């Protein structure tokens, strides 16, 4: 007797994605609301539709899903936008996350979560400060009136934030939490090494695949090349004991950036006017793809991301236990409130202090509001908390708190943004960036 479990699983996932998109368009709500709720209902009440034990094969699910989750967002970032907002994205993705984890860990002084060591606080906040690219994109795509610049900041942050949180968790928080001690100098140099090596390998892979894509000129081949690049970068990074996610993000962004530069040069016809060493190195006269094919690749990558997110949501559904959620409801509310407050304070730099630094663009009160409530948690938080060894005595609390924060952030933040753009934001789209002082 044949087992049709993979086919049934695929039917379930694709049906859920299609129906969620259709209903979300009619109801004018973010599709991630329906994806999350639908995943839980199907997994809980229609077990036959999910015949594969997702938790038993969790490691395999992670390896399959991670490149697909991050690839779409990385492809959507344009090189000109990265140049324009480089320092702002760096602040959001690295500085703000590091400061947020530090502030969260300082709560150990007040024994907010009884019995946790300082290393455990670092791990818990690293897990719960990681935003989710798919959830954020799903929510923001439903709203009109968000400036392009704000979307660039949010997309850039959702990618870089995740890489920083992963490094903080695996190379600082987790070892500290499990061993009970840490060498600050060693931890700092190790984190810097991971950043440097991951980005170096990512840039090298990005250049290699960029040159490879010049050998063919069809959208299917280019899409598959990006997918292969994402998986290869992630696996290589993990095998080299650095950050597979940062290697993946760097590789995809690098390839896309060089493609963007070639397309811009071709449009401006600069290639015929002047040559440079770097342009020659890129063989810029041969373009890797076109804008039309890039749009197709991005749309397909975004759909793959939704499929991967649904698979992670099925794992999340297995972790939901309402009795345990109620048992730890105080811890969940404290973590959700603290992480929201920390995010609001870290985003305040853009609203109140950005004008003092030309490299960090001010966004005003509305931009601060949108940035604050675009910090939905999701797949990555679930992945990280699941990677904690079973021997850790507080693992159940970590899992329940993280599940609670994921649900509250998606439905809570999403509802706040949905209410604002549905009932209060009536005017036409406008640039949220104030003019910089020179």
């Amino acid at each position: 007797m044949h087992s049709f479990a993979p086919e049934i699983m695929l039917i379930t996932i694709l049906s859920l994605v299609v129906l969620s998109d259709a209903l979300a368009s009619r109801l004018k709500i973010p599709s991630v609301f329906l994806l999350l709720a639908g995943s839980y209902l199907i997994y809980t009440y229609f077990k036959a539709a999910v015949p594969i034990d997702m938790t038993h094969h969790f490691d395999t699910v992670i390896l399959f899903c991670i490149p697909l989750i991050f690839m779409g967002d990385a492809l959507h970032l344009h090189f000109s936008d990265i140049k324009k907002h480089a320092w702002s994205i760096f602040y959001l993705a690295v500085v703000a996350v590091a400061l947020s984890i530090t502030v969260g860990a300082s709560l150990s002084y007040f024994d907010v979560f009884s019995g946790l060591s300082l290393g455990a606080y670092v791990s818990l906040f690293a897990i719960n400060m990681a935003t989710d690219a798919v959830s954020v994109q799903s929510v923001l795509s439903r709203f009109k009136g968000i400036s392009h610049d704000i979307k660039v900041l949010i997309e850039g942050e959702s990618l870089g934030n995740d890489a920083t949180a992963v490094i903080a968790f695996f190379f600082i928080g987790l070892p500290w939490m499990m061993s009970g001690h840490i060498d600050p100098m060693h931890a700092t140099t190790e984190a810097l090494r991971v950043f440097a090596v991951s980005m170096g390998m990512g840039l090298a892979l990005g250049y290699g695949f960029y040159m490879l894509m010049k050998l063919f000129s069809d959208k299917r081949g280019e899409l598959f090349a990006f997918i292969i690049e994402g998986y290869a970068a992630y696996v290589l990074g993990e095998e080299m004991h650095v950050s597979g996610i940062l290697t993946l993000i760097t590789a995809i962004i690098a390839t896309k950036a060089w493609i963007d530069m070639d397309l811009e040069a071709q449009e401006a016809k600069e290639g015929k006017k002047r040559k440079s060493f770097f342009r020659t190195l890129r063989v810029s006269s041969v373009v890797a793809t076109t804008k039309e094919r890039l749009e197709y690749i991005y749309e397909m990558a975004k759909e793959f991301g939704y499929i991967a997110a649904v698979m992670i949501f099925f794992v999340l559904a297995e972790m939901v236990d309402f009795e345990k959620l109620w048992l730890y409801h105080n811890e969940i509310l404290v973590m959700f409130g603290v992480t929201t407050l920390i995010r609001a304070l870290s985003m305040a730099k853009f609203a109140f202090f950005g004008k003092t630094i030309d490299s960090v663009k001010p966004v005003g009160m509305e931009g601060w509001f949108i940035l604050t409530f675009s910090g939905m948690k999701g797949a990555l938080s679930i992945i990280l908390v699941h990677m904690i060894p079973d021997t850790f005595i507080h693992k159940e609390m970590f899992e329940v708190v993280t599940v609670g924060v994921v649900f509250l952030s998606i439905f809570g933040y999403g509802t706040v943004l949905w209410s604002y753009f549905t009932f209060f934001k009536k005017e036409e789209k406008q640039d949220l960036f104030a003019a910089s002082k020179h």
Side-chain angles (χ1 to χ4, degrees):
M1 186 69 179
H2 295 291
S3 172
F4 295 102
E7 291 85 352
I8 295 172
M9 189 75 187
L10 183 61
I11 291 170
T12 300
I13 292 173
L14 294 181
S15 298
L16 185 56
V17 171
V18 170
L19 292 175
S20 296
D21 281 345
L23 285 174
S25 296
R26 287 184 175 275
L27 299 175
K28 300 186 184 304
I29 62 174
S31 60
V32 71
F33 289 2
L34 299 173
L35 284 173
L36 190 54
S39 299
Y40 173 76
L41 292 173
I42 290 173
Y43 193 88
T44 305
Y45 300 106
F46 301 98
K47 288 281 190 180
V50 190
I52 297 177
D53 187 344
M54 301 297 287
T55 53
H56 181 71
H57 299 286
F58 191 79
D59 291 344
T60 303
V61 172
I62 290 175
L63 288 174
F64 177 76
C65 292
I66 283 181
L68 300 180
I69 288 172
F70 290 98
M71 189 174 65
D73 240 22
L75 283 171
H76 201 225
L77 283 175
H78 196 277
F79 179 64
S80 60
D81 292 325
I82 296 175
K83 285 195 301 181
K84 181 179 179 181
H85 302 298
W87 283 111
S88 296
I89 292 174
F90 176 78
Y91 168 79
L92 286 168
V94 180
V95 178
V97 178
L99 290 175
S100 297
I101 294 173
T102 302
V103 171
S106 68
L107 295 178
S108 64
Y109 179 79
F110 303 99
D111 199 26
V112 175
F113 301 106
S114 181
L116 295 187
S117 65
L118 182 56
Y121 274 86
V122 172
S123 294
L124 186 59
F125 276 88
I127 290 168
N128 286 280
M129 293 305 300
T131 55
D132 182 64
V134 174
S135 298
V136 171
Q137 181 61 34
S138 172
V139 171
L140 295 182
S141 65
R142 293 295 176 186
F143 303 137
K144 306 299 180 184
I146 302 179
S147 79
H148 175 71
D149 291 320
I150 289 292
K151 286 187 175 182
V152 170
L153 286 182
I154 293 171
E155 290 172 351
E157 187 240 356
S158 68
L159 288 170
N161 168 303
D162 291 346
T164 304
V166 166
I167 291 173
F169 174 74
F170 280 112
F171 295 93
I172 299 176
L174 188 60
W176 192 354
M177 179 176 73
M178 298 307 296
S179 67
H181 61 85
I182 193 169
D183 181 341
M185 182 59 67
H186 174 74
T188 301
T189 55
E190 182 68 4
L192 292 175
R193 180 193 70 84
V194 171
F195 265 110
V197 175
S198 299
M199 294 188 70
M201 291 195 305
L203 288 171
L205 279 171
Y207 178 76
F209 275 88
Y210 160 72
M211 296 300 293
L212 177 66
M213 289 175 65
K214 291 177 179 286
L215 301 178
F216 46 87
S217 58
D218 65 281
K219 58 186 180 182
R220 184 176 65 180
E222 290 160 3
L223 170 64
F224 289 169
F226 273 117
I227 294 174
I228 294 169
E229 179 181 9
Y231 279 105
Y234 178 71
V235 173
L236 179 62
E238 293 298 311
E239 287 292 327
M240 295 295 291
H241 303 291
V242 291
S243 173
I245 289 178
L246 182 56
T247 306
L248 182 163
I249 292 171
T250 303
I252 297 293
I253 289 179
T255 300
K256 175 67 163 41
W258 281 313
I259 290 173
D260 288 339
M261 285 189 281
D262 284 354
L263 293 175
E264 288 174 2
Q266 187 184 49
E267 285 186 357
K269 297 183 179 179
E270 291 180 356
K272 296 181 180 179
K273 293 182 179 180
R274 60 186 178 91
K275 294 288 184 181
S276 71
F277 171 75
F278 290 108
R279 188 165 293 162
T280 302
L281 190 66
R282 299 198 320 263
V283 193
S284 60
S285 58
V286 181
V287 294
T289 186
T290 64
K291 283 189 174 182
E292 292 75 17
R293 298 205 299 268
L294 269 180
E295 186 63 28
Y296 163 84
I297 291 168
Y298 169 68
E299 289 299 324
M300 291 300 296
K302 187 168 66 174
E303 295 306 319
F304 284 139
Y306 281 125
I307 292 172
V310 171
M311 295 183 69
I312 300 296
F313 286 162
F314 281 135
V315 176
L316 176 60
E318 171 67 28
M319 297 170 67
V320 172
D321 184 323
F322 286 105
E323 289 186 6
K324 290 182 180 178
L325 288 172
W326 178 251
L327 178 64
Y328 291 102
H329 71 278
N330 287 329
E331 288 84 351
I332 293 170
L333 292 175
V334 169
M335 176 58 71
F336 178 68
V338 169
T339 52
T340 301
L341 179 61
I342 290 175
R343 184 174 179 84
L345 292 174
S346 64
M347 296 301 115
K349 181 168 185 63
F350 288 88
F352 307 113
F353 307 109
K355 293 182 181 180
T356 63
I357 305 176
D358 287 338
S359 59
V360 177
K361 303 296 188 293
V363 300
M365 288 295 293
E366 187 182 52
W368 169 67
F369 172 82
I370 295 171
L371 285 169
T372 297
F373 288 101
S374 62
M376 277 74 75
K377 314 303 186 289
L380 184 60
S381 294
I382 300 303
I383 290 170
L384 293 181
V385 78
H386 195 87
M387 299 300 288
I388 296 175
D390 292 334
T391 54
F392 181 56
I393 190 172
H394 298 289
K395 181 173 182 177
E396 179 184 281
M397 189 272 277
F398 272 50
E399 288 184 337
V400 177
V401 168
T402 300
V403 168
V405 170
V406 167
F407 273 100
L408 285 176
S409 66
I410 291 177
F411 288 108
Y413 292 173
T415 300
V416 168
L417 289 174
W418 175 82
S419 300
Y420 176 71
F421 283 100
T422 301
F423 301 110
F424 299 102
K425 180 75 174 177
K426 300 295 184 182
E427 63 269 23
E428 293 295 320
K429 174 180 177 179
Q430 54 183 301
D431 191 356
L432 297 177
F433 277 78
S436 302
K437 290 183 180 180
H438 297 284

